[in-house]
Amino acid sequence: MNWTWFHQLGSPKSFYALTSQWLPWLVTVMVISMTAALVWALLYIPPDYQQGYTTRILVIHVAVAGTSLAFFPLMAVAGTITLVWRIKLADMVARNAATLGAWFSFVTLATGSLWGSVMWGTWWEWTDARLVSMLFQFFLLLAVIALRSAMDDNDKAAKACALLSIVGCINVVIIKYSVEWWNVLHQPNSPVGMSNSGANGPEFWLPTLLMVVAVYLFLTVSLILSTRNEILHRERKAQWVRELLAAS
Amino acid sequence: MNDIAANPATSESAVPMLSGSDLYCERDDRVLFQGLTFTLAEGQVLQVVGNNGSGKTTLLSILCGLNDSFEGKINWFGKPVNENRELFLASLLYLGHRIGVNRVLTPLENLRWNCALTQPVHKSKILKVLHSVGLSGFEYSQCCILSAGQQQRVSLARLLLTRAQLWVLDEPFTTLDTDGVELLEQLISQHAKQGGAVLVTSHHRLKISNLQMLTLGKQRA
Amino acid sequence: MAPVTTGIAGTGSAFMATLKRDLLIASKRKNDMLNPFMFFLIVASLFPIAVTREPQQLTDISAGVLWIAALLASLLAMDSLYRSDFEDGSLALLLLCPQPLYFMVLAKNLSHWLVSGLPVVLVSPLIAYMLKLPAESYLPLFLSLLVGTPVLSLLGSIGVALTVGLGSRGLILAVITLPMTVPVLIFGTLAVQEPRFGADLAGYLAILGAQLLAAIALAPLASAAALRISVN
């Protein structure tokens, strides 16, 4: 198998060049799918017999929540690449993934509690295992960001955060199962959960699916954009960045 | 400086004990050294010199394997260090800026632990060595009441207790008095004579025969 | 000079030597041993003052209070695990010894738990009495802390190893470590509370035990890697 593409992508310069070609396409597809999903979800989903129009919030919530689960695995993979192959680009991606992941987790929590405020009559409910484990994933992402900002040596910070991401990834999985178990044992009579509720017909999951695609595209685009920014910052002394800046 | 080939200890084996080729290291976007190549053969003492901040300590910790932020090759008897890490570490004695002497333990307890990690040594031997580095009477006192120079002497005792072939000493002379400096110079020469190798950073002009120099950064005028 | 191939210390004896050394240091620094213990006592005594004096309400919260107090005590004690070794350079010696670093880290973790974690476990039934924990929960509390606090130490060790080189450690250690302890806290408190309602204690202890085994297998590897990053 030919690995040159992998190494090429690993160099900041060619990543920058490659993504310059991809970005217009990605952004176009993302904008179209996002608009379509939003319009469909917020205007055309019929009211659920049990939850009424709140399922429309759920479309966004489910898509963002599903996507935010991808961050720790992503950071763990990037961390492994940083520690084993010492490719600087992996750390740049990981760094931005942590910040983005924290925002995604926050939006998940916010939309979740918005939905909860209607369905449960309260903004926060400890009996929903998903929200609780998302809360701790949020905390762990903030911990990675905090560790990064506490270290002033870039190289050390990269390795330390890479390691913490790998540990955190394993931990998030354990937390997820522990919290679910805890819920089952502790509170047998939990209120309406988010998953097993009525909203599961095709009129619901089709726009959700589209939304998931749109959110993943949004994630990819924002990650690429912030990584490009980071590349320009870290490589500001390199010849090609200077030429690029002089040309613009 | 003597010629390397003139040393009988090196002529028997053509492969140097430790060699670095094309070493490159940068820190905070500043290149500390690049294209650095050196060899250290048995019986040789290599003094690394350079201005403050020229990367002497970094080079030493890279060679020991404490720091892996570098590019280039480091060979141990002609083979990459990583392939034979355990044997390399068993043959290495590292004495850093921070000398590795715990303040609440006594010199005896400190050395006993040091030896236990590499080659266990009997207590009587440690006491004898403490005497020869000028610490008799302090064997059982906590290291926090010793002066900086005396604590440094505790770490020098490790040189007498080890069977390691390669000594890597980072600024070992700083806190020593004239007697201490003389003692250490003697230890280094003796080690080289027995076919060991020493890598040392210092701003002192060492009174050691067969001394090689490795200059980092710009050479001083 | 012949290459050193014989007489290298075995991993077992190096493990024991490191364990003994750390216990020796702890015995000379009684404060390090006493402080977590005192902290545990004080924090646990603050809850009745701040929350309630009603025996029934105390009974309801006691399991959680005891576990959180033990968690915080173990966290506060962690900071001393690698700090003095980092500052005096012993840590570099440990990293450069020919034995696997995993076992050296495990030895340090074990000795640290013996001097800071075990006393907390031993005194817990007394505090449990003061907090009106039902008598039948003493054994579950004791056992769950006995199995659970080493996990806290092993997890904390990763956080300390990552932050030992930082000038201002401050609260970063807590921010990193506390979220990771959630699974231990969940099953630790369940093990104390649930047997009263007929659940099987052994099941919870088994889960805590599984966490302990996983932590013993994996956490020292992460700590060792973190130490290599910090000593640089």
Side-chain angles (χ1 to χ4, degrees), chain B:
Chain B
M1 273 193 266
N2 293 8
D3 193 59
I4 308 171
N7 189 337
T10 48
S11 56
E12 59 191 61
S13 66
V15 187
M17 182 187 285
L18 186 73
S19 64
S21 62
D22 210 13
L23 297 178
Y24 170 86
C25 175
E26 62 168 38
R27 187 163 251 182
D28 301 323
D29 292 335
R30 197 169 62 88
V31 176
L32 282 181
F33 42 79
Q34 57 184 338
L36 183 74
T37 299
F38 76 96
T39 58
L40 180 65
E42 288 162 89
Q44 208 178 342
V45 180
L46 185 64
Q47 183 180 5
V48 183
V49 291
N51 301 341
N52 294 333
S54 59
K56 299 188 293 291
T57 297
T58 309
L59 175 64
L60 258 50
S61 60
I62 284 174
L63 294 176
C64 291
L66 283 174
N67 187 338
D68 65 354
S69 317
F70 70 97
E71 280 157 43
K73 286 195 186 107
I74 301 170
N75 285 339
W76 173 249
F77 285 111
K79 285 184 196 140
V81 162
N82 287 338
E83 284 176 17
N84 223 340
R85 185 121 200 99
E86 214 172 301
L87 200 63
F88 170 72
L89 289 179
S91 321
L92 168 77
L93 184 135
Y94 172 73
L95 209 149
H97 271 303
R98 294 167 169 167
I99 54 177
V101 173
N102 186 287
R103 291 168 57 80
V104 300
L105 295 180
T106 67
L108 182 64
E109 289 159 351
N110 266 307
L111 291 171
R112 208 182 231 182
W113 176 65
N114 290 330
C115 293
L117 289 183
T118 47
Q119 295 115 26
V121 176
H122 195 261
K123 182 183 166 186
S124 57
K125 170 115 193 255
I126 300 179
L127 289 173
K128 217 165 79 189
V129 165
L130 278 173
H131 177 73
S132 54
V133 295
L135 284 174
S136 33
F138 294 99
E139 297 93 338
Y140 298 99
S141 7
Q142 290 197 340
C143 287
C144 53
I145 65 159
L146 303 185
S147 73
Q150 283 173 316
Q151 290 184 18
Q152 185 83 29
R153 281 165 182 261
V154 176
S155 73
L156 293 190
R158 285 173 49 213
L159 301 177
L160 285 164
L161 289 166
T162 181
R163 293 195 293 142
Q165 290 166 284
L166 174 62
W167 293 0
V168 176
L169 316 174
D170 193 3
E171 300 287 351
F173 293 97
T174 34
T175 54
L176 294 175
D177 55 19
T178 26
D179 281 359
V181 171
E182 219 166 90
L183 171 72
L184 180 54
E185 282 172 347
Q186 212 181 338
L187 288 176
I188 292 175
S189 318
Q190 213 173 357
H191 183 61
K193 252 179 226 142
Q194 289 167 355
V198 182
L199 198 65
V200 57
T201 62
S202 176
H203 297 293
H204 282 73
R205 212 171 274 283
L206 300 186
K207 289 194 212 88
I208 294 169
S209 58
N210 193 26
L211 185 70
Q212 313 282 314
M213 290 284 199
L214 179 67
T215 311
L216 292 184
K218 278 181 194 143
Q219 206 138 11
R220 265 181 277 192

Side-chain angles (χ1 to χ4, degrees), chain A:
Chain A
M1 182 160 177
N2 191 353
W3 283 96
T4 41
W5 65 272
F6 182 74
H7 289 287
Q8 234 172 35
L9 205 62
S11 112
K13 188 183 170 186
S14 36
F15 176 87
Y16 197 92
L18 269 176
T19 51
S20 299
Q21 295 167 16
W22 296 351
L23 263 178
W25 298 100
L26 279 172
V27 172
T28 316
V29 179
M30 182 204 82
V31 170
I32 293 171
S33 57
M34 184 69 91
T35 320
L38 273 176
V39 170
W40 191 351
L42 294 181
L43 298 179
Y44 292 104
I45 291 184
D48 184 71
Y49 75 98
Q50 205 183 3
Q51 306 181 25
Y53 284 110
T54 54
T55 47
R56 293 179 176 181
I57 306 173
L58 219 47
V59 170
I60 298 172
H61 173 78
V62 168
V64 177
T67 315
S68 58
L69 293 180
F71 280 97
F72 256 113
L74 174 69
M75 285 159 62
V77 170
T80 312
I81 294 174
T82 304
L83 291 177
V84 179
W85 290 286
R86 287 192 256 151
I87 293 174
K88 280 182 186 169
L89 184 69
D91 177 54
M92 301 187 198
V93 173
R95 177 183 186 159
N96 292 300
T99 321
L100 262 180
W103 277 110
F104 269 67
S105 308
F106 179 75
V107 172
T108 308
L109 292 170
T111 51
S113 61
L114 194 66
W115 182 83
S117 74
V118 182
M119 287 309 295
W120 300 329
T122 169
W123 291 89
W124 187 256
E125 183 56 62
W126 285 101
T127 51
D128 188 82
R130 287 155 187 249
L131 276 187
V132 175
S133 51
M134 184 56 69
L135 180 69
F136 282 99
Q137 176 184 318
F138 179 54
F139 288 159
L140 274 170
L141 283 165
L142 291 184
V144 178
I145 296 169
L147 182 65
R148 166 99 51 185
S149 63
M151 302 186 113
D152 25 55
D153 183 335
N154 253 341
D155 192 46
K156 234 184 209 184
K159 289 180 196 160
C161 290
L163 186 66
L164 187 60
S165 304
I166 296 168
V167 173
C169 184
I170 299 170
N171 210 261
V172 161
V173 176
I174 300 174
I175 289 178
K176 190 170 152 50
Y177 285 106
S178 308
V179 172
E180 266 169 28
W181 210 335
W182 167 66
N183 237 15
V184 172
L185 293 166
H186 230 209
Q187 213 80 35
N189 50 343
S190 56
V192 189
M194 284 189 187
S195 54
N196 53 6
S197 48
N200 52 10
E203 74 280 4
F204 174 75
W205 65 254
L206 272 177
T208 306
L209 193 67
L210 187 60
M211 187 58 109
V212 168
V213 172
V215 171
Y216 262 105
L217 281 170
F218 175 73
L219 158 69
T220 315
V221 167
S222 3
L223 206 52
I224 288 177
L225 281 176
S226 50
T227 305
R228 281 162 65 90
N229 208 356
E230 180 107 10
I231 289 173
L232 289 186
H233 179 69
R234 287 205 203 174
E235 307 262 301
R236 62 189 177 278
K237 286 179 188 162
Q239 188 64 30
W240 70 272
V241 175
R242 284 186 189 171
E243 281 167 11
L244 194 77
L245 290 180
S248 65

Side-chain angles (χ1 to χ4, degrees), chain B residues 64-66 85 89-90 92 94 98-101 110 113-118 158, chain C residues 11 13-19 21-22 25 81-86 88-109 111 157 161 220 223-224 227-228 231:
Chain B
C64 291
L66 283 174
R85 185 121 200 99
L89 289 179
L92 168 77
Y94 172 73
R98 294 167 169 167
I99 54 177
V101 173
N110 266 307
W113 176 65
N114 290 330
C115 293
L117 289 183
T118 47
R158 285 173 49 213
Chain C
T11 304
S13 64
F15 178 90
M16 288 311 290
T18 305
L19 182 65
R21 167 186 181 264
D22 276 27
I25 293 173
L81 178 54
Y82 301 115
R83 194 181 48 199
S84 73
D85 286 341
F86 178 79
D88 68 25
S90 304
L91 206 51
L93 299 186
L94 205 63
L95 296 188
L96 290 179
C97 82
Q99 278 75 33
L101 189 54
Y102 170 90
F103 290 103
M104 302 300 111
V105 168
L106 199 60
K108 290 190 75 68
N109 280 206
S111 93
S157 159
S223 298
L227 287 176
R228 287 194 195 283
V231 178

